[in-house]
Amino acid sequence: MHLRLLLLLALCGAGPAAAAFSLSLRGSWRVRSQNRSLELPGEVPGCVHSALFQQRLIQDPYYRFNDRNYRWIALDNWTYSKNFVIPFDTGEWQKVNLILEGVDTVTKVLLNGVPVGETDNMFRRYRFDITHVVKAVNFIELYFQSPVIYADQRSKAHTSYEVPPSCPPSEQEGECHVNFIRKEQCSFSWDWGPSFPTQGIWKDVRIEAYNICHLESFTFSPIYDDRTQEWNLEIESSFDVVSSKPVSGQVIIAIPKLQTRQMHGIKLQHGERIVKLFVKINKNIIIEPWWPHGHGNQTGYNMTVLFKLDGGLSFEKSAKVYFRTVELIEEPIEESSGLSFYFKINGFPIFLKGSNWIPADSFQDRVTSAMLRRLLKSAVDANMNTLRVWGGGIYEQDEFYELCDELGIMIWQDFMFACALYPTDRGFVDSVRAEVAYQIMRLKSHPSIIIWSGNNENEAALMMNWYAIQPSDMPTYINDYVTLYVKNIRKVVLKGDQTRPFITSSPTNGAQSVAEGWVAKNPYDTHFGDVHFYDYTGDCWDWTIFPKARFASEYGYQSWPSFSTLEKVSSEEDWFYKSNFSLHRQHHANGNSEMLHQARLHFKLPQSADRLRMFRDTIYLTQVMQAQCVKTETEFYRRSRSEIVDGEGHTMGALYWQLNDIWQAPSWSSLEYGGKWKMLHYFARHFFAPLLPVGFENNDVFFIYGVSDLHSDRNVTLTVRVHAWSSLEPVCSKTTKVFVMKAGGSALIYKEPVPELLRRCRSCTRRSCVVSFYLSTGSKPLSPTNHHFLSSLKEAEGLQKAHITAVISQRKDTFVFDLATSAVAPFVWLDVGSIAGRFSDNGFLLTEKTRTVLFYPWEPTSKSELEQSFHVTSLTDIY
């Protein structure tokens, strides 16, 4: 019998009475289908799909149409089983528990043929007492029920009224009634992802044996006292005391760098006990706070907490403590009805720049540390400071939040409810309460998390009546909404964590929604809270279509991922825009035609007779369109931060939808599955820059706003250049006098009627020229060079086919691409296929004869590999 068991032996004292054993059951298990026609090894953590793939019983689930072909896997009931040996005398232990950190999702758990517990929530930790069942040699089984069948049964059992929606739109090819199961909601499908309702043990599973007492959980919250201007630390630990007599001892808390060392006496009675300790931080020591990326350092302090208890029993916990305050400011604004909606970190108002995070894979066992780091590092490399962990996915793994702490990424954390109404029967609500309490305990010590949000779009779904609910039935659904998110989730959150704000939904009107009984008549009101905004038919170059909201927490446009990304999961017959594969991979209704519609507004569509060339050119153009659309919208939000126009404005957040992809398909993402940067992500690096000039037109007048996220004023100059499409020499250039760019704000810094600008640059017309501009101090640029198109590119006059060459050389771990062009080239796209890495810039407007771009590889590569893979495309290449 092959066993891969990890034995952690912690002898906490002199004799066996003061010992605790932890035995991990990670590793190889047996997995079998209900009728036993399939039985195979399966890794834990893992899932059935991964086990089948690893044994080569199925292909890559992401290949071509396999999401449809492998639907049978989710409809079967699978069993996980394992034989294991306990390497100690079980009779010597007062308590033995089975700990399941994450089970996906509905199971009956048997040990040695005896039922010991059941699970029905993917987001909870389960602990089952097996003291009287465990033996020296054991056999554990988890009988899984198909999540699809379970959800259907729960829906049918809810006979009093429907809880919509029943099923996803047909384009998603998904499963029904996902709102009846506490599982990753997008695993039943979404408009950017496949339906893979997984089954498996997705987190750690172990046996814990102990005497006297055991430390079950440990968490803490730094708290700032405004009155005394002191930092304190609230530490909360939970114990299972199995001794019939009280257990006494001491707790020693040490934070050496803060010269803080405190001792507390404790006395634990029999049963489940919670110990709360309040630690005063030495007020004579200057504490460096944790700041978001771009605003300061992410300073943390090492802390040890040692519990020394009777009988030589001891427990030690180490953690990094970060100090930061967060406030959500909702207050009246001059010259505007409504309320503000913005965040102060450490007392400083911060514009939230970033995107929305979805699960990085349908199969969580495939999400590695390297993958998380690559995606999160790509976010900060694009000048982001915030990600919203979206409510249709999962509460991310510990390492995700640790990386966000380290990188300075603020997290808007949704609870896992999305785009649906939910039941509120006793069993469902009790499970949700346990889920929320556990996640609060697990996550609240992370400074990166700045807000809890009850759900994604459910207030809007209810009040905008997405599901055509009859007016007479509406009170029932409103009551369910308030019951779930206010009377239960909010109550549990406030009990567990009062150090950060809680809102019931996104979008929401915040305080106004509360005033209206927790549901607003119009949750999209631009005068309150946050908004989600999508418009695929309006012209995205027209900034007037965008809402001048307080905070934009979702908005975006689709594009296709690179051919090198698609190629891995498709075959040659799939490589055209209207192939069955292209239609199958598009889960958003009319998505492929909407992309072409938006592109057609300003660009000529590709016309190649070569089918593969046509497909690659169309992919390129969808990325151009997406990048330009999201740029225009984001710049509108950034320049709106300091002004009120017609009662609207003071926008203090722009989180586009979405950062990453769950598989290889068209979506709103800026990072492809695998981490490759789309053109949008390179654009984000510019439009989220800390100092940025933003150009736009209104009534034939060209305006430039300066936007600053900096903490101090800067003396700057603005340079405005006009280039002809037909020449690599600028037609004219103008530099302003030195002026002060105020910290933390936006302001008008340049204004010129377009006819005057064209007269000043005599050979120019709207169609023949383009404007570029940047901020500098002395000769040093302080901002990216931005640009403004005076006409649609399909109407551009003078554009020539650009012959662009690259000479590649190596400089330590980086590669240098020295580019040369024969003509001005818009949207220059450098591609090295599947070689992992990113460029210093890409998708740019090339207006000079030469330019140097760096390539940062993520994995070892060579100059020759890059030369073989390198391909450059600019706009005129697709015509």
Side-chain angles (χ1 to χ4, degrees):
M1 181 170 57
H2 174 67
L3 289 178
R4 258 183 69 200
L5 301 180
L6 174 66
L7 173 63
L8 300 171
L9 173 59
L11 281 171
C12 309
F21 283 93
S22 181
L23 179 71
S24 177
L25 300 184
R26 281 173 169 253
S28 186
W29 288 52
R30 299 297 295 174
V31 179
R32 69 173 186 266
S33 58
Q34 185 169 21
N35 67 4
R36 296 178 180 260
S37 61
L38 283 170
E39 185 162 352
L40 58 145
E43 286 294 306
V44 168
C47 69
V48 174
H49 289 80
S50 294
L52 291 166
F53 179 53
Q54 284 153 11
Q55 295 302 311
R56 299 185 179 177
L57 294 169
I58 62 171
Q59 296 175 308
D60 178 357
Y62 284 175
Y63 182 69
R64 298 195 76 210
F65 304 94
N66 282 345
D67 55 319
R68 183 190 293 161
N69 297 338
Y70 297 153
R71 185 170 177 248
W72 60 270
I73 299 170
L75 298 176
D76 205 343
N77 299 318
W78 296 84
T79 300
Y80 272 68
S81 62
K82 184 182 186 76
N83 292 292
F84 66 95
V85 175
I86 297 282
F88 51 76
D89 184 351
T90 56
E92 291 186 5
W93 301 92
Q94 291 172 283
K95 189 77 167 277
V96 185
N97 285 330
L98 171 66
I99 308 294
L100 294 156
E101 292 286 352
V103 180
D104 178 17
T105 294
V106 182
T107 70
K108 287 182 168 60
V109 185
L110 277 71
L111 183 64
N112 302 322
V114 178
V116 294
E118 298 182 354
T119 72
D120 65 359
N121 190 321
M122 182 181 179
F123 308 123
R124 284 178 61 181
R125 171 197 283 163
Y126 287 92
R127 184 183 67 178
F128 300 129
D129 186 346
I130 58 170
T131 309
H132 303 297
V133 184
V134 72
K135 301 173 183 177
V137 179
N138 299 275
F139 182 57
I140 185 172
E141 297 169 288
L142 274 72
Y143 286 89
F144 285 80
Q145 183 181 0
S146 160
V148 177
I149 293 169
Y150 172 85
D152 184 58
Q153 289 174 351
R154 299 303 301 168
S155 170
K156 284 174 178 165
H158 196 282
T159 54
S160 47
Y161 52 92
E162 285 186 22
V163 184
S166 294
C167 299
S170 59
E171 294 86 3
Q172 294 179 22
E173 301 202 33
E175 304 294 355
C176 301
H177 308 298
V178 71
N179 48 343
F180 277 89
I181 183 170
R182 290 311 299 141
K183 175 177 172 57
E184 179 184 18
Q185 299 290 276
C186 66
S187 68
F188 277 40
S189 81
W190 218 262
D191 57 4
W192 37 254
S195 176
F196 283 115
T198 43
Q199 297 175 53
I201 303 168
W202 74 293
K203 292 194 175 186
D204 194 28
V205 53
R206 63 186 181 275
I207 307 292
E208 287 182 347
Y210 49 91
N211 291 323
I212 305 174
C213 79
H214 188 63
L215 179 61
E216 294 286 337
S217 67
F218 169 84
T219 188
F220 56 88
S221 298
I223 298 166
Y224 187 69
D225 188 327
D226 283 317
R227 189 178 54 81
T228 62
Q229 297 192 324
E230 289 177 350
W231 279 103
N232 303 299
L233 198 59
E234 189 177 86
I235 299 172
E236 187 175 311
S237 308
S238 67
F239 290 86
D240 181 22
V241 183
V242 292
S243 168
S244 56
K245 298 176 183 176
V247 180
S248 299
Q250 290 183 323
V251 188
I252 302 155
I253 300 130
I255 311 176
K257 278 200 170 178
L258 296 181
Q259 296 178 22
T260 296
R261 181 181 168 85
Q262 290 181 21
M263 200 174 291
H264 298 257
I266 60 170
K267 188 173 186 179
L268 302 171
Q269 302 292 335
H270 177 80
E272 301 276 337
R273 297 295 162 198
I274 291 175
V275 175
K276 287 188 178 180
L277 303 169
F278 203 67
V279 179
K280 281 190 173 292
I281 305 298
N282 188 333
K283 65 187 295 184
N284 298 317
I285 302 293
I286 294 173
I287 291 177
E288 283 190 41
W290 180 93
W291 284 100
H293 174 67
H295 291 273
N297 297 324
Q298 291 76 50
T299 306
Y301 298 89
N302 292 325
M303 172 179 73
T304 57
V305 180
L306 177 63
F307 297 88
K308 297 178 76 173
L309 305 177
D310 292 346
L313 190 63
S314 66
F315 304 98
E316 184 167 3
K317 283 287 182 182
S318 298
K320 187 154 271 192
V321 183
Y322 300 87
F323 296 88
R324 69 101 186 87
T325 61
V326 55
E327 304 162 81
L328 174 58
I329 307 299
E330 296 180 89
E331 60 188 17
I333 300 173
E334 276 186 49
E335 300 177 23
S336 175
S337 60
L339 300 169
S340 64
F341 190 91
Y342 69 93
F343 291 86
K344 278 186 178 179
I345 305 296
N346 304 321
F348 187 81
I350 288 184
F351 189 104
L352 272 57
K353 304 182 294 188
S355 190
N356 287 262
W357 173 274
I358 65 166
D361 203 293
S362 292
F363 312 105
Q364 280 296 310
D365 51 285
R366 303 207 298 202
V367 180
T368 63
S369 300
M371 189 189 298
L372 285 177
R373 180 171 283 277
R374 182 178 294 179
L375 291 169
L376 293 173
K377 183 70 167 57
S378 290
V380 297
D381 285 347
N383 287 308
M384 296 183 187
N385 61 29
T386 306
L387 292 174
R388 173 172 169 252
V389 176
W390 168 77
I394 61 168
Y395 306 94
E396 278 296 334
Q397 54 185 276
D398 292 340
E399 191 166 4
F400 173 91
Y401 299 99
E402 289 160 7
L403 283 166
C404 290
D405 294 343
E406 173 195 323
L407 294 168
I409 300 172
M410 293 180 283
I411 294 297
W412 174 312
Q413 179 66 54
D414 280 2
F415 289 99
M416 294 300 121
F417 304 86
C419 298
L421 307 184
Y422 286 84
T424 55
D425 55 271
R426 183 66 182 271
F428 188 89
V429 169
D430 285 350
S431 183
V432 167
R433 287 178 67 92
E435 164 192 328
V436 172
Y438 169 64
Q439 295 297 342
I440 293 284
M441 180 277 296
R442 181 173 79 94
L443 299 176
K444 73 175 183 179
S445 59
H446 291 284
S448 50
I449 299 175
I450 61 164
I451 187 170
W452 306 111
S453 174
N455 64 70
N456 172 75
E457 297 187 345
N458 296 350
E459 181 183 348
L462 182 61
M463 300 312 288
M464 307 310 283
N465 205 7
W466 291 1
Y467 309 121
I469 294 166
Q470 294 300 314
S472 57
D473 296 330
M474 192 60 85
T476 299
Y477 292 101
I478 290 175
N479 182 62
D480 278 359
Y481 181 93
V482 173
T483 296
L484 185 59
Y485 301 111
V486 181
K487 294 179 181 176
N488 284 284
I489 292 176
R490 179 176 179 269
K491 194 173 180 180
V492 175
V493 170
L494 294 182
K495 183 183 177 187
D497 179 28
Q498 295 183 13
T499 66
R500 46 176 71 79
F502 170 84
I503 55 174
T504 50
S505 187
S506 174
T508 182
N509 289 352
Q512 180 62 24
S513 287
V514 176
E516 292 182 43
W518 300 98
V519 285
K521 283 195 181 95
N522 175 19
Y524 293 102
D525 193 328
T526 54
H527 300 86
F528 301 95
D530 65 321
V531 301
H532 296 183
F533 178 79
Y534 296 96
D535 179 353
Y536 308 115
T537 55
D539 181 356
C540 79
W541 286 27
D542 176 9
W543 58 267
T544 64
I545 71 171
F546 306 128
K548 208 170 180 74
R550 305 296 190 218
F551 195 109
S553 51
E554 273 194 32
Y555 58 96
Y557 294 84
Q558 281 199 321
S559 71
W560 274 81
S562 305
F563 180 73
S564 59
T565 296
L566 289 169
E567 191 178 20
K568 298 179 179 74
V569 291
S570 58
S571 66
E572 197 170 337
E573 67 199 87
D574 302 325
W575 297 340
F576 64 102
Y577 200 71
K578 292 188 177 179
S579 69
N580 288 336
F581 173 81
S582 296
L583 293 170
H584 174 74
R585 223 64 176 187
Q586 174 59 269
H587 282 197
H588 167 61
N590 303 316
N592 289 348
S593 57
E594 284 173 353
M595 280 185 269
L596 295 185
H597 162 76
Q598 196 61 240
R600 194 181 285 113
L601 293 175
H602 297 287
F603 304 98
K604 296 173 190 171
L605 297 186
Q607 299 296 331
S608 176
D610 180 298
R611 197 166 79 168
L612 177 57
R613 168 80 188 275
M614 179 76 166
F615 188 46
R616 296 177 77 127
D617 288 349
T618 305
I619 288 170
Y620 162 81
L621 189 59
T622 66
Q623 290 207 17
V624 169
M625 174 276 296
Q626 179 198 34
Q628 190 66 22
C629 286
V630 178
K631 171 186 188 286
T632 307
E633 188 165 356
T634 305
E635 289 182 346
F636 169 73
Y637 296 136
R638 288 199 71 191
R639 69 177 164 86
S640 297
R641 72 174 285 173
S642 299
E643 68 180 11
I644 294 292
V645 178
D646 298 327
E648 295 180 316
H650 278 217
T651 309
M652 283 298 286
L655 309 178
Y656 66 75
W657 185 269
Q658 67 209 62
L659 180 75
N660 56 315
D661 263 336
I662 199 168
W663 71 334
Q664 307 91 335
S667 81
W668 294 256
S669 77
S670 61
L671 297 175
E672 299 177 6
Y673 180 79
K676 186 172 183 175
W677 288 28
K678 288 182 178 177
M679 194 179 293
L680 169 57
H681 209 78
Y682 288 102
F683 274 42
R685 184 169 162 80
H686 291 307
F687 63 61
F688 281 145
L691 202 61
L692 181 71
V694 174
F696 66 99
E697 282 185 50
N698 193 21
N699 295 327
D700 223 19
V701 178
F702 176 53
F703 297 88
I704 300 176
Y705 273 51
V707 181
S708 172
D709 289 326
L710 305 177
H711 288 228
S712 57
D713 296 351
R714 288 291 170 91
N715 292 325
V716 299
T717 57
L718 171 73
T719 299
V720 181
R721 286 190 180 138
V722 178
H723 306 263
W725 289 121
S726 58
S727 171
L728 286 163
E729 296 298 326
V731 177
C732 61
S733 182
K734 186 176 185 179
T735 301
T736 66
K737 292 179 181 176
V738 174
F739 62 93
V740 177
M741 190 66 237
K742 289 283 188 186
S746 64
L748 177 64
I749 57 174
Y750 186 84
K751 175 181 175 183
E752 186 175 14
V754 174
E756 284 184 23
L757 181 147
L758 296 174
R759 275 197 298 274
R760 183 165 60 80
C761 304
R762 289 179 188 172
S763 59
C764 273
T765 66
R766 274 190 173 276
R767 294 183 176 190
S768 68
C769 289
V770 60
V771 187
S772 69
F773 42 96
Y774 63 92
L775 296 168
S776 59
T777 179
S779 59
K780 182 186 171 188
L782 287 179
S783 76
T785 297
N786 208 339
H787 55 267
H788 174 71
F789 297 125
L790 295 166
S791 73
S792 293
L793 273 287
K794 67 182 180 183
E795 297 165 349
E797 294 173 354
L799 263 180
Q800 300 159 23
K801 288 258 182 190
H803 178 61
I804 302 171
T805 58
V807 176
I808 304 172
S809 57
Q810 188 167 357
R811 189 190 299 161
K812 293 184 179 177
D813 295 333
T814 303
F815 292 87
V816 180
F817 284 64
D818 287 310
L819 305 177
T821 183
S822 63
V824 172
F827 303 106
V828 174
W829 184 245
L830 312 177
D831 190 35
V832 289
S834 292
I835 296 175
R838 72 165 181 90
F839 289 94
S840 56
D841 198 8
N842 214 344
F844 45 81
L845 172 63
L846 189 55
T847 56
E848 295 161 327
K849 288 178 185 175
T850 61
R851 179 163 181 173
T852 298
V853 177
L854 304 179
F855 180 74
Y856 306 106
W858 294 331
E859 294 163 6
T861 188
S862 66
K863 178 182 174 223
S864 61
E865 272 189 343
L866 287 167
E867 285 171 340
Q868 286 167 22
S869 301
F870 178 69
H871 183 74
V872 61
T873 306
S874 70
L875 191 64
T876 53
D877 291 328
I878 71 169
Y879 300 148

